[in-house]
Structures are given as C-alpha cells and as structure tokens.
Amino acid sequence: MKKYFFIIILLTVTINAQNWNPIITTSINVSNVTYIENHADKDGIHIVTLDNNNDIKYYLIDTYGSTIRSSTISTNGDYPNIVGDENAVFIIYREGSYIRVKRTTDAGASWSQRHAQSIGSNPCSGIDAAIDYRGIHVVWSIGDANGYNMETNYKRFDDQHNDWFDFYTVTNYAGGYGTSPTVSLSPDRVHVGYNSVDFTNEEYTYDGNEMSRTKYNNNWQTQQIIALNESGRGKIFTASSKLYDFYYDFVPGMGQFHSDLYFRNRSYGSSNWSSSTLLESFSDVTILLSVCETADGTIHTYTASGSVKERIIINGSVSSSSDISNTGYWINALSAISTNNDVFVSWSIGNSIYLKMRQYDGNPSKPQNLSAIFSGTHPVLTWSSNMEPDIQSYKIYKIIEGETGWTHVATVSSSTTQWIDNDVSQPGKFDPIYTIDYKIKAVDQSNNESVYSDVIKITGTTNTLWKQNINATEADGIKTYELFSNFPNPFNPTTQITYQIPKSEFVNLVVYNNLGQLVSTLVNEIKEKGRYTVEFNTASSGLPSGMYIYKITAGKYHASGKMLLMK
C-alpha cells in the first residue's frame, strides 16, 4: 500500500527494554504480505497472513520464532481474522460470495471447513470477528455493485451447531451507512464500530461520523455518534472496565494531508463518551492500530510510524510511549495480541522479507482449577493448562499437618497438567491420618513465576512425617518413650516401625501373630538415647496375610501396635 503522505525522518531511537525480550526474525516470508493477524495460546503464536495474490496462509510459531507448522487456508481470500478459545482456533475470511470459517482443534495440524455464510459478490469494505462463550461474532460491510451504499451487518456463528444465527443489519436506520466495521465484546453486550460513509477507498481520505451500536442481551440499542465528521476509519475495543473507540481524523492540506489518531471511552452502561484524546499525530491510517489489554488492566496500543510504537493507556490516559523497534523503514503490516500478562507483536518491514516478532514478557497468570483425588493408592493432582505459549514448567508445593512451612516437592514440564504424590497414600485401618495442602506456580521460559494457585486439601497417610521424625533425631530433644505407628499399614511385604527412648536402655522389639506366637525379633540389644527405625520384611518368611502385633520393652516402658499384612 502507498504511504505517500508522510515526511520520513530517520533517527536513532531508544528501545524500551523493560520486560521486552529481544526482537526475533522468524522464517516466515512476508515479502508480499499486506495484512497479518495473531492469536496466542498454550500451543504457540498462531499467525494468519494475506498477500498480494489473495493467498491466506497460516503459521504456528513458538516463542523463539521457530515455525512449528504452516498451511494455505485459501488461494482466493480476503479480510482474514483469527480467533480462538480453549478448545479450538478459527480463521474467518471472505472467499468469493461467502464468509468462510475454518477450525482446528489440534493446533493447526488439520483444518475443517465449517458452514459458510453467503454475503453476495459485491464489494466489501471489511470483516471483523471476536469470540466468547456465545460464539464467534462477525461483522462485515458490503455495498452495491459499484461499492457504494455500504451497509454494516452482524451475524453469530455457533460452532456447536455449525450454523449462523441472529443476523442483523446494524445500519438499518434512516440514512444509515457503514464501512470498515469492527466488533468487540463485553459481558452481555456486542459492540460494533463503523464509519458512516457509504463508500471506501484505500487511503481513507474522508471524514465521516465515527459510529457505534451495541447489542445488549438480545436487543440492539440506538446507534451513537462517537465523533461527528471526524473519522476516516476506526476500531472499537472493550477493556476490562470501559469501551474504547480509536479513530483516524483526516486532515486535508496541499502536500501535507494526513490522519491523526484519537480515542474516546465510556462506561459500558453509559451513552456518554469522553472527550477526545490524541494518541498519535501523522498516523498511518492504512495500517489499523492493534490494541490489547493485559491481565493487570493496562491497555497496549501499537501503531506503524516508521517504527512500531507502543503507547500505554491506564485509566483512560496515555501514560507512556516507546518504540519497540528501530527499523527506520516502513512497516507494511502489524498485529499484536495479549495472553494474560504477555504481549506478542508481529510486523513486516520494508528492508526484510521475514516477519519480525517481539514479546512483552510478563509474569504468568495464576494456575486455575487445581484439584486432587485418589486414583488407586496415591493422590493425583490435576490443573488447567496456562494459556500463555511460553510456560516452561509448574512448581508443586505441599504442607502436611503439623509442619511449619511449605515444601517445594516437584517441578513438572508444561506438557503435563498432573502429578502423582507417591509419598501420600489412602490411610489403612491403623494408619495415622493427616491433612495435606497443595498449591502450584507456573514458570515461564524467562523464569518469571506466577502467584500461587488456590490451595486444595486432602486427607491421607504419609511417610513424609515419618521421615521427618527419623531425621529429627536430635538426642537432646527426646524426653519421652514412644512407639510410633508403623508405615505403611496395611503393608506387603515390608513396613517400617519407629520408636524413641530418652536414655540408654536395653530394647526388645518383637512381632507376634494373632495367636500370640513370636514370628520375629527385630531389636534385642542396648540402644543409646535417640530415635530408631527398623524394617519388618516378610518377603521370604512365608507369613500369611493377617493381623500382627509388634511390642516394645525398654526398661519399664511397654507399648504395642497392630499391623495388617495383605498379600
């Protein structure tokens, strides 16, 4: 696309490096690409491109920029969008007289064609899509055979039923026209933004009304004028607390005509928009800005202005501005997407045939849905995968009733979302029962750690306390005689018996069967003050299943316990 209304000034800029990983040059050839769009999830960064030949291509790359796989989606397409949820990724695009939807449930390894929506063959000025639990919300503008009398339309694709529902002409009011539509979602609402002119051109050299219309529950509300006669193109965006609209105001002039980029915002339930805030002067209207929000409520905007420029919006005000690239060349295409606290920005530039990418690397999000159930003998912890593509591992922590602090007990790869605690078992009839708490953290490739997950509890018996008792054999701390419960119990073929004595004594520790017959002498000697553990091993004894009694005599101290051999 021609960008002839700028004066190019080449200068060195300082790249904001805080939390930004280095710029990556991928192996994706974008020499003739005119549009890119990103989606990021646990499988990687999903990228869709459109080139001068109307080829729509898909790429999956990891956070190091390596291509995992690629495929051609269409050889005669336009206006591609890519969206996804926890179950699938979708590419929505125009092909001929249809809006088509392709779906992958295996990270792009295979694609299925979903039901298409007929829109006719007349000129189109844009398609946009957004996804939530209700489905994929799609808007498009289409005119007459000459590209005039543009109308903006809405329809929802329900993947579960593989069909389209709720068609509505957003510009169905008197004198209503709409071009360059965008769509964004908030709870119970669908927000559509569009320009009021009835035609379009590639340079957007006109000033129409910047418009929005909202579907609240099942009712379309009255359209709103956001900016009167001030917009050539815009983008609507829902943040966590407010609705934003970004629009390009065309400024005419001999040899100096250009567009300035502004934004306004309002509360979801309000009809009152804020006053205009200038985001960027001499902004490139032919490359629509990218906007995303991180989990902390920060809005990140990205524009193509000789470099990729980031501006941060907090509470409706621009708080900072920085260049995340210092190319000094025209940006040909640009896209950014956030996943929790991470942002992934991709762009193509005039001096390279390969796609560039950079990651804002925030802390991982809090792991969700941690649970534990006994499966067989031991508890199995499970949790949901974090959606960030750069998760490296999960750290698992536990604390057992009676302990004073949490212990990091395991680290597992991000490729798994479960862990078996082999140190905890379902309690037998004679086993001590403890409450065991667990929590986990997510760790990314830069060793950034999330906050802890919610804590879960189970009850069981554990040899961890037994081991702790054995290791805590500080002689000076032992003041009493004690015979501990054996572990495990029931057992086959071995179990451990622990006892302690507060002074030097002759110790006799023996095992009887349920008939009172001696079957094993485990200890029969003088022992110094301390704590001791001995093993009762029935592997070669030929002893049958049943109840056994272990009994200790140490000076005047006598104690016994029961244990069950189960073969």
Side-chain angles (χ1 to χ4, degrees):
M1 295 181 179
K2 300 293 185 183
K3 304 172 183 66
Y4 46 78
F5 44 84
F6 289 99
I7 298 174
I8 303 175
I9 301 176
L10 300 180
L11 59 137
T12 302
V13 299
T14 300
I15 297 177
N16 178 16
Q18 184 177 3
N19 291 330
W20 282 98
N21 291 342
I23 296 171
I24 294 171
T25 299
T26 73
S27 60
I28 300 174
N29 190 319
V30 289
S31 56
N32 65 344
V33 163
T34 59
Y35 181 79
I36 57 176
E37 190 166 308
N38 297 347
H39 170 71
D41 62 19
K42 64 183 184 301
D43 297 312
I45 301 98
H46 307 260
I47 300 173
V48 63
T49 66
L50 173 70
D51 64 25
N52 288 325
N53 299 317
N54 291 110
D55 291 335
I56 297 175
K57 296 181 179 179
Y58 163 83
Y59 302 88
L60 176 66
I61 63 175
D62 62 23
T63 54
Y64 299 109
S66 300
T67 300
I68 299 171
R69 63 179 59 95
S70 63
S71 58
T72 297
I73 300 299
S74 173
T75 57
N76 186 31
D78 207 354
Y79 301 114
N81 288 257
I82 187 165
V83 298
D85 57 20
E86 293 183 355
N87 302 311
V89 174
F90 302 86
I91 296 178
I92 303 96
Y93 60 99
R94 184 182 186 182
E95 187 176 65
S97 300
Y98 295 92
I99 294 178
R100 299 196 182 277
V101 179
K102 283 192 174 180
R103 179 188 71 177
T104 179
T105 56
D106 51 14
S110 62
W111 292 87
S112 61
Q113 183 75 62
R114 310 300 283 160
H115 186 65
Q117 170 65 38
S118 176
I119 63 171
S121 58
N122 288 345
C124 179
S125 71
I127 297 173
D128 197 29
I131 191 171
D132 67 2
Y133 67 94
R134 295 166 287 188
I136 302 174
H137 306 262
V138 182
V139 292
W140 69 95
S141 289
I142 198 158
D144 59 25
N146 297 313
Y148 287 88
N149 302 314
M150 288 279 178
E151 297 276 8
T152 291
N153 301 292
Y154 162 88
K155 205 166 187 180
R156 176 177 60 89
F157 177 73
D158 184 335
D159 184 58
Q160 182 178 357
H161 296 93
N162 190 23
D163 207 352
W164 295 77
F165 300 92
D166 305 334
F167 174 81
Y168 192 78
T169 299
V170 179
T171 52
N172 62 356
Y173 48 89
Y177 297 104
T179 63
S180 306
T182 59
V183 62
S184 197
L185 310 172
S186 63
D188 302 321
R189 291 176 169 88
V190 179
H191 307 274
V192 180
Y194 54 98
N195 190 282
S196 68
V197 297
D198 67 344
F199 67 96
T200 187
N201 63 47
E202 287 190 355
E203 280 75 39
Y204 308 94
T205 52
Y206 41 75
D207 267 335
N209 297 333
E210 181 70 6
M211 306 290 297
S212 76
R213 197 167 184 185
T214 294
K215 181 183 182 183
Y216 180 37
N217 291 325
N218 292 317
N219 300 311
W220 285 92
Q221 299 177 324
T222 302
Q223 70 277 4
Q224 289 187 304
I225 298 176
I226 301 171
L228 182 64
N229 299 324
E230 293 182 3
S231 175
R233 189 185 194 188
K235 184 179 185 68
I236 205 157
F237 177 76
T238 49
S240 57
S241 58
K242 290 181 180 293
L243 177 66
Y244 282 78
D245 189 89
F246 299 83
Y247 62 93
Y248 295 82
D249 183 12
F250 176 65
V251 181
M254 292 297 294
Q256 289 292 312
F257 63 87
H258 64 277
S259 292
D260 294 333
L261 178 57
Y262 293 87
F263 70 89
R264 295 184 177 187
N265 66 77
R266 67 169 174 85
S267 299
Y268 293 133
S270 172
S271 59
N272 299 318
W273 289 86
S274 69
S275 58
S276 304
T277 298
L278 178 65
L279 187 69
E280 183 176 76
S281 297
F282 286 82
S283 191
D284 187 349
V285 66
T286 65
I287 300 178
L288 187 64
L289 86 159
S290 281
V291 189
C292 56
E293 183 182 29
T294 44
D296 59 3
T298 300
I299 298 173
H300 303 250
T301 70
Y302 300 91
T303 56
S305 300
S307 64
V308 178
K309 187 173 289 292
E310 179 193 56
R311 292 177 177 86
I312 299 297
I313 299 174
I314 299 177
N315 296 324
S317 299
V318 180
S319 68
S320 65
S321 174
S322 59
D323 293 325
I324 66 165
S325 73
N326 56 357
T327 64
Y329 292 85
W330 289 118
I331 308 296
N332 297 319
L334 169 68
S335 181
I337 190 70
S338 62
T339 306
N340 294 312
N341 292 311
D342 289 346
V343 179
F344 299 91
V345 186
S346 301
W347 67 94
S348 64
I349 58 176
N351 71 329
S352 175
I353 65 172
Y354 296 110
L355 185 73
K356 305 289 185 179
M357 186 185 76
R358 199 170 190 197
Q359 177 188 0
Y360 179 84
D361 196 4
N363 290 335
S365 59
K366 175 182 175 179
Q368 299 294 317
N369 302 318
L370 178 63
S371 64
I373 60 171
F374 279 97
S375 178
T377 305
H378 305 292
V380 179
L381 274 64
T382 60
W383 57 91
S384 297
S385 292
N386 277 49
M387 292 305 289
E388 300 97 324
D390 65 339
I391 298 301
Q392 176 176 262
S393 60
Y394 294 96
K395 289 183 175 180
I396 300 164
Y397 298 81
K398 79 176 179 181
I399 184 172
I400 304 171
E401 180 183 351
E403 293 182 336
T404 59
W406 288 86
T407 301
H408 173 211
V409 292
T411 298
V412 298
S413 166
S414 62
S415 62
T416 185
T417 54
Q418 73 171 33
W419 177 72
I420 301 174
D421 190 350
N422 291 311
D423 286 334
V424 174
S425 302
Q426 295 198 62
K429 184 176 180 180
F430 302 105
D431 286 333
I433 298 176
Y434 302 98
T435 298
I436 302 106
D437 293 355
Y438 297 94
K439 61 184 179 181
I440 66 173
K441 276 184 174 183
V443 184
D444 68 16
Q445 292 163 349
S446 299
N447 291 319
N448 298 318
E449 296 187 356
S450 71
V451 298
Y452 289 110
S453 69
D454 293 338
V455 175
I456 60 165
K457 298 176 181 290
I458 64 166
T459 56
T461 191
T462 173
N463 61 1
T464 302
L465 277 184
W466 166 76
K467 290 178 180 178
Q468 185 182 30
N469 289 334
I470 296 170
N471 293 333
T473 54
E474 300 291 341
D476 291 342
I478 296 176
K479 306 295 184 184
T480 61
Y481 296 92
E482 189 166 356
L483 177 64
F484 297 93
S485 298
N486 67 298
F487 185 89
N489 190 20
F491 69 96
N492 181 29
T494 63
T495 188
Q496 308 280 341
I497 301 172
T498 300
Y499 65 93
Q500 68 181 32
I501 54 176
K503 62 180 181 178
S504 178
E505 293 276 17
F506 185 89
V507 176
N508 178 250
L509 178 61
V510 293
V511 178
Y512 298 93
N513 62 19
N514 59 1
L515 298 177
Q517 298 169 330
L518 179 67
V519 298
S520 180
T521 299
L522 301 177
V523 181
N524 193 40
E525 61 184 347
I526 295 175
K527 291 288 188 181
E528 298 299 319
K529 176 181 181 180
R531 183 173 297 155
Y532 301 90
T533 296
V534 294
E535 182 179 80
F536 178 45
N537 190 337
T538 66
S540 59
S541 66
L543 291 175
S545 298
M547 187 71 69
Y548 291 84
I549 310 297
Y550 56 98
K551 181 179 179 180
I552 189 172
T553 301
K556 296 182 179 181
Y557 174 74
H558 305 278
S560 63
K562 295 180 179 181
M563 54 187 176
L564 183 63
L565 173 62
M566 294 183 64
K567 291 188 175 181

